[in-house]
Amino acid sequence: MESFEVTRRLNGNVAILDIKGYLDAHTAPRLEQEIQSLVDENKYKIIVNFKDLVYISSAGLGVFMGFIENIRSHQGDIKLTNMSPKIYRVFDLLGFPTLYDIFDDEQQAIKKFNVQ
C-alpha cells in the first residue's frame, strides 16, 4: 500500500491541511477524519495544499464532496491549492473548478478567505 500523510497547520482562523502521497480508497478515511475533526472544532475555513500529493482516486475526490455542503452552510469553504498539472487534470475532468476555488498557491487562498 502506498503512503499518505496529512498534517494540519493554522494561519489565523484558516486551517491548512498539507496532504502528501497517494490519496485513494485506502487512505481517504485519514483525510476524511482530519476534515471531520476541523468541523467538530467549528473550523470551517479550510485550505487543502496538494503540493506533495502524487495521486488521487475517486475516493479521494469524494472526501471533498462529502463535506462541502456542511462547511458552506456554516459560511466556510474548502479551497484547494498547489496542484500539480496531473492532479489538476483529474479535478478538471470532473468539473471541480466550477465547484471549488483552486489556487496556484496557498497565499492566494488565504487572501480570498480574508476578504470574504
Side-chain angles (χ1 to χ4, degrees), residues 77-115:
D77 200 7
I78 299 174
K79 298 188 184 308
L80 313 175
T81 71
N82 297 79
M83 288 183 185
S84 69
K86 177 181 155 189
I87 298 290
Y88 180 80
R89 208 168 20 255
V90 174
F91 277 83
D92 192 35
L93 282 171
L94 298 173
F96 272 59
T98 61
L99 303 171
Y100 293 88
D101 290 333
I102 300 174
F103 297 93
D104 290 337
D105 70 62
E106 199 176 284
Q107 290 306 312
Q108 293 172 321
I110 291 169
K111 190 174 180 179
K112 180 79 173 188
F113 268 129
N114 291 332
V115 297

Side-chain angles (χ1 to χ4, degrees), residues 5 11-12 19 22 26 36 42 55 62 68 72-73 82-83 90 100 104 109-111:
E5 292 177 32
N11 184 311
I19 57 176
Y22 285 72
H26 297 286
Q36 184 62 54
N42 297 318
Y55 173 80
I68 195 64
R72 287 183 177 158
S73 74
N82 297 79
M83 288 183 185
V90 174
Y100 293 88
D104 290 337
I110 291 169
K111 190 174 180 179

